[in-house]
Amino acid sequence: MSDYTPTPEMKFTFGLWTVGSIGRDPFGAPVRDPKSPAELVRLLSEVGAYGVNFHDNDLIPIDAAPAEADAIKKDFRKALDETGLKVPMATTNLFGDPIFKDGAFTSNDAKVRAYALQKTMNAIDLGVEFGASIYVFWGGREGTETDAAKNPVDAIKRNREAMNFLCEYVLDKGYALKFALEAKPNEPRGDIYNSTTGHMLGFIETLDHPDMVGVNPEVAHEHMAGLNFTHGVAQAWEAGKLFHIDLNDQYPGRYDQDLRFGSRDIKAAFFLVKFLEEVKYSGSRHFDAHAYRTEDYDGVKDFARGCMRTYMILKEKAAKWNTDKEIQEIVAEIEAQDPAMDKYLGAYSAEKADALRTQDFDREAIAKIGLKYERLDQLTVEVLLGVR
Ligand code: GCO
Ligand code: MN
Ligand code: MN
């Protein structure tokens, strides 16, 4: 058993907006005093994080004068140099300012769409300045409350036009930067376009430079829609598109909770960690979550440490699962091959199809075999509960 200390290889990162959340919600005022970006870097270093990510306006307020922006950047850079924290990812705030009330890239107003491109180009420059190699696009306002207001096909086309424009911008500048698109079904808009990771994967293939663009799936966003997160992540991974991941937790059917990783559905978190570790996912493990509104900054540190610690514990549990004798006996049975069927499976041929047509299948006998999944799941639960 390790002491679950986060290591740099785990690439545990947090956004300035996560540990920096001051606990404002639609029903109440902030509960924590704001901290500067440099102070947040020091807090993250204290808890053992590898890196910090930011929206342009987490670092530099939207109305900052050039001198103020320079001072903030200097301060931030100093904190990064002193702590060794990296900035693997950056993103644009295209949702906070009132100008984005009807979306950014998909707004009906061409001036808003053009401003969104301008703001994103500047934010890309800022991210690259601090070393980011992944650039996230979360279209929180790219949606509707009423479909009377916007043709969804126009929205798709505008979104594509913006992505193509920005890919060309990155190529033109010679930046080593890849885009990761983050889906969410709703909140803050009533409905958001490209609502799931699966939608995003389909959309990416229609872009001019699909190789530059992948996804940034988030646990909460798929759980809000009642989906199996690991399945979406696996689809992205298999397509070579898992560029980044947002880890947190969420009860389905509720408001956007951004809970500490693994704090709600520990079994789903286990299968996710097991998957990421087994495929040797090497990107950032980014926690896009918030401490409860009940907490002071000590509580924020408890929250951040908890996210990383739970991941490390689940990683150990996954290793245990893979060496548990009884579990592995069942797995071996599940994975047993049936060479007699090889001649029918795999790529199609007319001969194969003819041969297959004449094969007799004893449906009843095949269906009668119990699959032991109850036992396997119970053993999984017992690994998680620490009795195995
Ligand atoms: C949310 C999103 C955001 C994005 C962030 C990075 O639900 O608000 O998850 O936190 O991840 O804007 O693009
Ligand atoms: Mn989210
Ligand atoms: Mn997110």
Side-chain angles (χ1 to χ4, degrees):
M1 202 163 90
S2 81
D3 62 357
Y4 311 118
T5 305
T7 55
E9 301 77 64
M10 299 310 298
K11 297 198 185 140
F12 288 138
T13 64
F14 291 82
L16 284 179
W17 70 95
T18 63
V19 286
S21 162
I22 53 179
R24 186 188 289 116
D25 75 13
F27 304 93
V31 294
R32 294 183 282 270
D33 292 333
K35 282 194 185 295
S36 73
E39 286 171 326
L40 293 169
V41 167
R42 295 205 169 84
L43 181 151
L44 284 173
S45 161
E46 190 186 326
V47 298
Y50 164 82
V52 60
N53 305 314
F54 58 76
H55 299 88
D56 49 354
N57 304 135
D58 297 338
L59 190 60
I60 298 169
I62 194 162
D63 288 323
E68 188 193 343
D70 282 348
I72 295 171
K73 283 204 266 182
K74 231 174 112 193
D75 209 26
F76 185 62
R77 171 82 66 194
K78 190 162 167 270
L80 292 175
D81 288 348
E82 278 170 22
T83 58
L85 253 73
K86 304 277 180 289
V87 178
M89 177 274 259
T91 182
T92 328
N93 185 326
L94 293 172
F95 45 88
D97 193 86
I99 193 174
F100 300 124
K101 66 187 178 195
D102 188 32
F105 303 137
T106 62
S107 168
N108 279 334
D109 186 335
K111 283 198 185 64
V112 176
R113 299 202 297 276
Y115 172 67
L117 285 177
Q118 182 201 64
K119 191 173 195 289
T120 305
M121 289 191 303
N122 291 336
I124 285 176
D125 293 348
L126 181 68
V128 169
E129 186 181 335
F130 283 96
S133 58
I134 295 290
Y135 203 82
V136 164
F137 288 86
W138 171 66
R141 297 275 178 204
E142 313 289 14
T144 57
E145 283 69 44
T146 167
D147 286 330
K150 208 172 289 176
N151 177 337
V153 170
D154 287 345
I156 293 165
K157 287 183 172 157
R158 289 170 187 165
N159 220 339
R160 179 183 301 126
E161 193 178 277
M163 286 303 130
N164 286 340
F165 186 102
L166 293 164
C167 281
E168 293 293 349
Y169 176 71
V170 165
L171 291 170
D172 208 14
K173 286 275 171 181
Y175 292 153
L177 195 65
K178 288 199 163 187
F179 291 174
L181 311 189
E182 178 178 345
K184 189 178 185 184
N186 54 268
E187 222 181 312
R189 291 314 288 267
D191 292 290
I192 301 177
Y193 298 120
N194 280 333
S195 47
T196 69
T197 299
H199 288 76
M200 283 299 185
L201 289 170
F203 172 70
I204 289 168
E205 293 311 312
T206 72
L207 299 176
D208 289 347
H209 298 284
D211 46 311
M212 289 176 66
V213 187
V215 291
N216 177 34
E218 172 168 317
V219 178
H221 298 178
E222 311 280 323
H223 283 189
M224 282 168 79
L227 300 176
N228 182 313
F229 184 62
T230 299
H231 291 187
V233 167
Q235 189 176 354
W237 169 263
E238 203 272 339
K241 293 292 184 193
L242 188 65
F243 288 6
H244 200 264
I245 194 164
D246 277 7
L247 303 172
N248 54 12
D249 219 342
Q250 168 80 33
Y251 283 82
R254 301 213 181 164
Y255 67 97
D256 181 11
Q257 294 178 301
D258 280 342
L259 297 169
R260 192 179 74 256
F261 179 62
S263 63
R264 184 262 154 180
D265 190 340
I266 194 76
K267 199 162 128 190
F270 166 73
F271 284 117
L272 174 66
V273 170
K274 182 171 172 297
F275 178 83
L276 293 174
E277 295 307 312
E278 284 170 8
V279 300
K280 300 192 172 18
Y281 167 74
S282 61
S284 290
R285 289 165 180 78
H286 172 73
F287 297 104
D288 189 9
H290 295 144
Y292 302 147
R293 198 163 168 273
T294 49
E295 305 306 292
D296 59 11
Y297 278 102
D298 283 335
V300 172
K301 287 181 210 167
D302 289 337
F303 148 81
R305 286 194 180 102
C307 285
M308 296 185 284
R309 190 171 162 83
T310 297
Y311 191 104
M312 298 296 284
I313 295 169
L314 291 176
K315 184 180 167 185
E316 186 183 85
K317 295 285 182 193
K320 187 161 256 162
W321 196 95
N322 283 325
T323 52
D324 184 292
K325 201 163 158 281
E326 195 178 345
I327 289 176
Q328 289 312 309
E329 276 167 15
I330 300 176
V331 170
E333 270 183 55
I334 291 170
E335 290 177 353
Q337 300 299 307
D338 187 347
M341 290 297 111
D342 285 355
K343 57 180 181 288
Y344 300 136
L345 298 173
Y348 175 85
S349 75
E351 297 71 41
K352 204 184 263 182
D354 283 345
L356 179 55
R357 221 187 291 283
T358 63
Q359 168 77 36
D360 266 340
F361 291 97
D362 187 345
R363 287 192 344 262
E364 247 179 80
I366 295 169
K368 276 213 169 82
I369 302 166
L371 300 181
K372 299 195 182 139
Y373 293 173
E374 279 288 358
R375 183 69 189 144
L376 183 59
D377 187 70
Q378 178 63 25
L379 292 169
T380 304
V381 168
E382 292 190 13
V383 166
L384 287 175
L385 293 178
V387 297
R388 287 187 75 80

